[in-house]
């Protein structure tokens, strides 16, 4: 009886807290700012975790398989795993809130990183492949965390909120690849293969991120946003406003945002995956590979603050076009760069990261614009599943293309694929203009 009464009182307390938030825009803004701080800290940790697989995943597979044509498999697998992770985190978040969903995703990713370490020690390829799938859940969660900051953001704050979450990833993502040598030596000192060393860092980072989110992401921003939306809907019905009839999902806007993120993900993953192998074939050291990848990841996240402002100020579609042009430039430079030219490879991978940044933030903003809280987390998770699957395809095919043709062919193909973003945007603008004309 005492347990039931305590649970009942706890439920009443939660209901009272939600009522206070729904009636106080000031409390909503305070929670918005607090959520951003929690997300920022978890993103720093998540960035360090994801950098391990990006930097040495292909090299570890090449070493264990003994064949460069399999080098794209790790990226494909942990990206495929991130698809499952995105679906799981999206479902959990929609039903129970961001806190349990994101914490579970990072925990699974940490477990996967531990599995990679054990498989390297045992030289067990089957265990490696399975572990990479679980490791991918951390990658998905790191990306899905960006949505948590937008739950209580206004339409004019969304680009900035996404960018703050993403720029935080820069700190961990930049440090991760630059610690490859240090973690490799540490791993060897405890009888673990050097290439598995970065996954020790990944495991610690993902487990800590899970703990931070579980302990501090309270009250849950998505649950508060849902309560605010429900109150607004009831108020609109009382006042007989048509706003209450707005659908929870704008399918065309979701399609546009998803297409933008899918194309940018394919291009980025394909070229990035094979760059370490391409550099290794031309005599570059592991430290040089780590530097190039760290610059690439920095370019993926560090410009986010500026990108977020541009997305809010000049619009989503303008930044989508910028993404296509930048990715084309990246592919062209990578294709034409001599294999031994470190500066040219740095430039190509920096442009690749920047183009991905433009595409991801503008696409994310389009998804948030096109959904209401009652369907937002589930839709976001579903879209990120598509993004992850496209990345898995890009990673898997990249090794085959390079083995069958060349790194230049892969780079040129990726650059021209990015040009598809421009007709997609033109189609979207044409539809919007036609719809406006019909309504006027």
């Amino acid at each position: 009886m005492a347990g039931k009464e305590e649970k009942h009182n706890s439920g009443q307390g939660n209901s009272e807290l939600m009522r206070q938030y729904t009636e106080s825009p000031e409390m909503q803004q305070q929670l918005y700012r607090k959520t951003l701080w929690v997300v920022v800290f978890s993103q720093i940790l998540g960035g360090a975790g994801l950098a391990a697989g990006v930097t040495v995943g292909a090299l570890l597979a090449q070493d264990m398989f003994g064949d460069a044509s399999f080098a794209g498999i790790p990226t494909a697998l942990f990206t495929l795993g991130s698809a499952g992770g995105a679906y799981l985190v999206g479902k959990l978040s929609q039903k129970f809130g961001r806190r349990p969903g994101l914490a579970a995703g990072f925990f699974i990713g940490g477990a996967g990183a531990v599995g990679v370490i054990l498989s390297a020690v045992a030289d067990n390829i089957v265990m490696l492949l399975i572990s990479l799938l679980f490791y991918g859940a951390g990658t998905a969660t790191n990306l899905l965390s960006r949505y948590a900051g937008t739950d209580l953001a206004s339409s004019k704050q969304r680009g900035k909120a996404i960018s703050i979450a993403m720029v935080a990833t820069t700190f961990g993502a930049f440090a991760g690849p630059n610690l490859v040598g240090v973690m490799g030596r540490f791993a060897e000192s405890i009888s673990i293969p050097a290439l598995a060393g970065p996954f020790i860092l990944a495991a610690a980072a993902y487990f800590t991120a899970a703990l931070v989110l579980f302990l501090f992401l309270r009250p849950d921003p998505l649950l508060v946003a849902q309560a605010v939306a429900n109150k607004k809907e009831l108020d609109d019905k009382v006042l007989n406003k048509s706003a209450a009839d707005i659908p929870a999902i704008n399918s065309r806007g979701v399609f546009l945002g998803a297409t933008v993120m899918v194309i940018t993900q394919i291009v980025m993953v394909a070229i990035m995956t094979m760059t370490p192998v391409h550099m290794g074939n031309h005599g570059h050291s592991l430290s040089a590979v780590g530097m190039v990848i760290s610059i690439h990841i920095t370019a993926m996240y560090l410009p986010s603050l500026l990108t977020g402002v541009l997305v809010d100020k000049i619009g989503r579609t303008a930044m989508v076009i910028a993404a296509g042009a930048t990715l084309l430039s990246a592919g062209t430079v990578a294709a034409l760069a001599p294999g031994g030219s470190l500066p040219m490879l740095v430039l190509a991978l920096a442009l690749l990261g920047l183009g991905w940044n433009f595409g991801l933030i503008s696409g994310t903003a389009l998804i948030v614009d096109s959904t209401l809280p009652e369907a937002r987390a589930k839709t976001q998770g579903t879209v990120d599943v598509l993004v992850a699957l496209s990345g898995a395809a890009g990673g898997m095919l990249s090794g085959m293309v390079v083995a069958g043709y060349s790194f230049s062919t892969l780079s040129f193909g990726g650059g021209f694929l990015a040009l598809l973003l421009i007709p997609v945007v033109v189609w979207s603008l044409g539809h919007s203009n036609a719809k406006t004309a019909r309504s006027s």
Side-chain angles (χ1 to χ4, degrees), residues 124-147:
N124 188 319
I125 291 175
V126 175
M127 186 189 299
L128 173 69
L129 301 181
I130 295 172
S131 298
L132 285 168
L133 286 170
F134 284 93
Y135 170 78
T139 307
T141 308
N142 194 69
L143 273 177
L144 281 168
S145 295
R146 74 194 187 274
Y147 287 115

Side-chain angles (χ1 to χ4, degrees), residues 167-338:
V167 78
T169 307
T170 307
F171 298 103
F174 181 81
N178 283 296
L179 291 173
V180 164
V182 174
M183 294 306 299
R185 290 189 292 274
F186 171 72
E188 287 181 321
S189 73
I190 55 175
S191 302
I192 293 175
L195 289 175
F199 286 94
I200 299 174
L201 174 64
Y206 279 162
F207 284 140
T208 307
L211 189 62
V212 166
L213 288 164
F214 189 76
L215 292 178
F216 298 107
L217 199 62
R218 302 167 183 263
D220 195 290
L222 181 60
L223 298 183
V224 172
Q226 289 173 345
V228 171
N230 290 338
K231 182 178 184 300
K232 183 178 185 303
E233 183 178 352
L234 288 173
D235 291 345
D236 287 340
K237 285 181 178 178
V238 170
L239 297 173
N240 293 319
K241 287 188 178 180
S242 60
D245 299 323
I246 295 176
I249 300 174
N250 174 3
S251 299
R252 192 169 292 269
V254 170
F255 175 80
L256 176 59
T259 302
V260 170
M261 289 193 282
V262 163
I263 292 177
T264 54
Q265 186 77 358
I266 290 174
V267 175
M268 187 277 290
V269 170
I271 297 175
M272 175 205 67
T273 297
M274 295 312 298
T275 297
V277 176
H278 175 68
M279 292 179 68
N281 292 339
H282 286 85
H284 293 281
S285 67
L286 189 59
S287 295
V289 172
M291 182 192 72
V292 170
I293 296 300
S294 68
I295 290 172
H296 164 67
I297 296 177
T298 300
M300 287 171 64
Y301 294 100
L302 189 59
S304 296
L305 287 178
L306 177 60
T307 304
V309 172
L310 292 174
V311 166
D312 285 338
K313 294 293 184 183
I314 69 174
R316 281 61 162 150
T317 54
M319 293 306 295
V320 171
I321 294 172
T326 306
L327 290 172
L328 174 62
S329 301
T332 303
V333 173
L336 298 178

